[in-house]
Amino acid sequence: MKVIAFNGSPNKEGNTYHGIKIVLDELEKEGIETEIIHVGNKSIRGCIACRKCSQNKSGKCIIATDPVNEWIEKIKEADGIIIGSPVHYSAIAGTMKSFLDRAFRVAEANDNLLRYKVGTSVVAVRRSGGIPTFNQLNNYINHSEMFMPTSNYWNVINGTKPGDVLLDEEGVQIMRVLGKNMAWLMKLIESSEKSLPKPKMEEKIFTNFIR
């Protein structure tokens, strides 16, 4: 099994990285392969709402000038996904949101390739805005029929300078428990796949409120 973690911070080894790494350390103890991809320092264009991913069914975004399609391929191969972000104005960092909008849209448009993978969110924050950002990240996971492991508190860890979060004892425990629970859930799903068939995926119904 493998987990891919996406670090949405502009800083490669800032506090978002350290929060993610605590989770990954627990996964690795359980024999699960891990990889961190640094998203936050790339130039990622936002979704242009062209809907070509729905029309082409290629599993790719039509924008090919950045690494998003490479990352989508890694998502396809992974059993678990971690999406991590710092807090920018009580919200997801801009580059990370551009990536998530496009990657999750492609996934949905191609037989919901994230369905029944395990996904969780990690947030690093200096002071406040952690919960709104956590909720925003979870919107992507909830929308994709993914399974979400939890911890003993919201997955937010606090610090200012890179590495400060390692002094947040409660935050470190939250990430550690999250890693243990994520590993257990992934193994539980793997052990039941042969004995318990997945529910048939329903075709998505789209409605609006204009009569």
Side-chain angles (χ1 to χ4, degrees):
M1 288 186 290
K2 183 169 184 178
V3 169
I4 300 291
F6 294 95
N7 176 8
S9 172
N11 300 308
K12 184 177 181 180
E13 296 188 359
N15 286 319
T16 304
Y17 164 85
H18 286 291
I20 291 171
K21 190 66 172 62
I22 297 167
V23 181
L24 296 186
D25 286 345
E26 295 301 321
L27 293 167
E28 290 170 3
K29 289 176 186 177
E30 295 298 321
I32 296 171
E33 184 182 352
T34 68
E35 180 182 356
I36 300 178
I37 294 174
H38 191 196
V39 174
N41 68 336
K42 307 294 191 301
S43 296
I44 307 297
R45 182 169 181 172
C47 178
I48 58 174
C50 67
R51 300 191 66 81
K52 291 294 183 184
C53 54
S54 296
Q55 296 168 23
N56 295 339
K57 298 292 184 182
S58 64
K60 298 180 183 297
C61 178
I62 196 173
I63 301 171
T65 55
D66 55 38
V68 169
N69 284 327
E70 298 173 28
W71 299 339
I72 290 171
E73 289 302 312
K74 288 184 175 288
I75 287 172
K76 290 178 185 177
E77 297 168 2
D79 304 286
I81 311 293
I82 298 173
I83 51 178
S85 180
V87 175
H88 290 184
Y89 288 89
S90 279
I92 303 169
T95 300
M96 183 63 169
K97 187 174 191 309
S98 292
F99 160 63
L100 293 174
D101 285 349
R102 286 169 53 197
F104 276 72
R105 181 68 189 93
V106 169
E108 180 187 7
N110 289 268
D111 298 321
N112 197 1
L113 60 87
L114 282 164
R115 185 175 188 250
Y116 294 165
K117 292 182 186 289
V118 175
T120 195
S121 305
V122 168
V123 175
V125 64
R126 179 188 68 84
R127 183 173 175 85
S128 61
I131 297 302
T133 304
F134 178 56
N135 290 338
Q136 290 163 24
L137 290 170
N138 286 343
N139 286 337
Y140 293 93
I141 296 169
N142 285 322
H143 180 72
S144 302
E145 290 189 69
M146 299 180 77
F147 293 121
M148 186 187 298
T150 58
S151 186
N152 60 4
Y153 204 74
W154 296 280
N155 305 342
V156 179
I157 195 163
N158 290 266
T160 303
K161 299 186 299 298
D164 276 357
V165 292
L166 300 176
L167 302 175
D168 176 8
E169 292 185 17
E170 183 176 0
V172 169
Q173 184 188 57
I174 291 165
M175 299 303 153
R176 189 170 62 245
V177 171
L178 177 62
K180 291 177 180 178
N181 289 347
M182 186 173 188
W184 180 80
L185 179 58
M186 290 176 66
K187 290 185 175 184
L188 184 66
I189 293 168
E190 183 184 50
S191 67
S192 67
E193 282 184 338
K194 292 181 180 179
S195 60
L196 188 63
K198 296 176 182 177
K200 184 179 178 181
M201 186 169 68
E202 293 194 18
E203 184 175 348
K204 176 68 177 173
I205 298 173
F206 292 94
T207 61
N208 61 46
F209 301 102
I210 299 174
R211 298 182 182 274

